[in-house]
Amino acid sequence: AGRPAIKEPLSAAVRRDLARYIRSRKLDHPIIVGHSMGGFIAYWLASYHPDLTGPVIVVDAGPALSGDLEEAKTLRAQWKNATDEEFAATTRAVFASMTRQPKRMEAVIGLVAKSDRRAFADAIYELVSTDLTAQVSEIKSPVLILAADGMFQKRIAGQIKDIPTHELVVLKGTKHFLMYDDPEAYHRELDKFLAKYPAKD
């Protein structure tokens, strides 16, 4: 969103820095919440550092997209090499289709449009090419997955089946930004999960 891009892979850097932050602040198993790419990072953090995290809430994300390296390369090239006009048009079309509340997306789309093209393309490459499915069995925390009502819910269900303690809740009638589409159901499910697995004092 207009800030300088880092040179290293974004998801891996965020996972590493979150682990460092938890340790440096001496946080006692904090609650982790992530949507989309943030949800992917939540799986990564909880599976690679299972003794650091408390309850995990993942919003419409699985531990893998396709894992297809060629697809990842193609997508990275498409986004990285897009003209300003192509980038603006494509991001608007893609992100506007992710909710039933398009007005709520205007601020998000505005931030995306300011993003560094290379960083954006590299982040997509990283998400598509990284498969954490075999790793999620290492997660010790309880995990709530809130999924949009669409074609990916079955794939997510198959990918998370080895997480020892998990719940998958599909919010009917929602798209990817489900917290915009049905905020009442979204907050109700979060409250229910955190009542069952409260934060530590």
Side-chain angles (χ1 to χ4, degrees):
R3 301 186 65 176
I6 63 174
K7 293 182 179 179
E8 58 187 312
L10 181 60
S11 295
V14 172
R15 172 188 56 81
R16 179 202 64 208
D17 288 350
L18 282 172
R20 286 178 178 173
Y21 183 84
I22 292 169
R23 290 189 178 107
S24 68
R25 299 288 173 160
K26 296 181 171 56
L27 301 181
D28 187 3
H29 296 84
I31 296 166
I32 307 297
V33 184
H35 168 250
S36 195
M37 181 179 181
F40 175 80
I41 294 171
Y43 288 120
W44 209 349
L45 180 68
S47 61
Y48 274 70
H49 305 282
D51 295 322
L52 288 183
T53 58
V56 175
I57 299 170
V58 173
V59 183
D60 207 39
L65 285 177
S66 70
D68 186 320
L69 187 58
E70 290 307 312
E71 180 188 5
K73 289 178 180 177
T74 299
L75 288 170
R76 178 170 61 182
Q78 286 175 350
W79 285 103
K80 188 176 181 179
N81 298 325
T83 65
D84 289 345
E85 293 77 14
E86 289 170 340
F87 186 77
T90 305
T91 53
R92 175 164 292 279
V94 168
F95 282 85
S97 71
M98 292 181 177
T99 179
R100 299 187 188 280
Q101 304 293 330
K103 288 185 179 179
R104 296 287 303 273
M105 288 300 295
E106 287 302 317
V108 175
I109 292 169
L111 293 172
V112 173
K114 297 178 183 177
S115 295
D116 180 273
R117 201 74 45 84
R118 180 192 59 78
F120 190 95
D122 287 348
I124 291 175
Y125 173 85
E126 188 178 9
L127 285 176
V128 174
S129 62
T130 306
D131 187 342
L132 302 173
T133 307
Q135 185 68 29
V136 295
S137 61
E138 301 296 323
I139 296 176
K140 294 180 180 179
S141 303
V143 180
L144 169 66
I145 301 94
L146 294 177
D149 188 6
M151 58 183 175
F152 296 118
Q153 55 184 272
K154 287 185 178 180
R155 184 167 74 179
I156 291 174
Q159 292 175 345
I160 63 170
K161 60 183 176 57
D162 292 330
I163 299 176
T165 305
H166 73 272
E167 303 172 34
L168 173 64
V169 177
V170 177
L171 298 192
K172 297 298 181 185
T174 62
K175 292 189 174 184
H176 185 51
F177 281 76
L178 45 83
M179 71 289 287
Y180 289 169
D181 292 348
D182 194 344
E184 289 185 7
Y186 172 78
H187 287 104
R188 182 176 64 245
E189 294 299 334
L190 262 63
D191 289 344
K192 189 190 306 183
F193 179 72
L194 293 176
K196 189 186 298 186
Y197 304 104
K200 294 193 176 184
D201 294 331

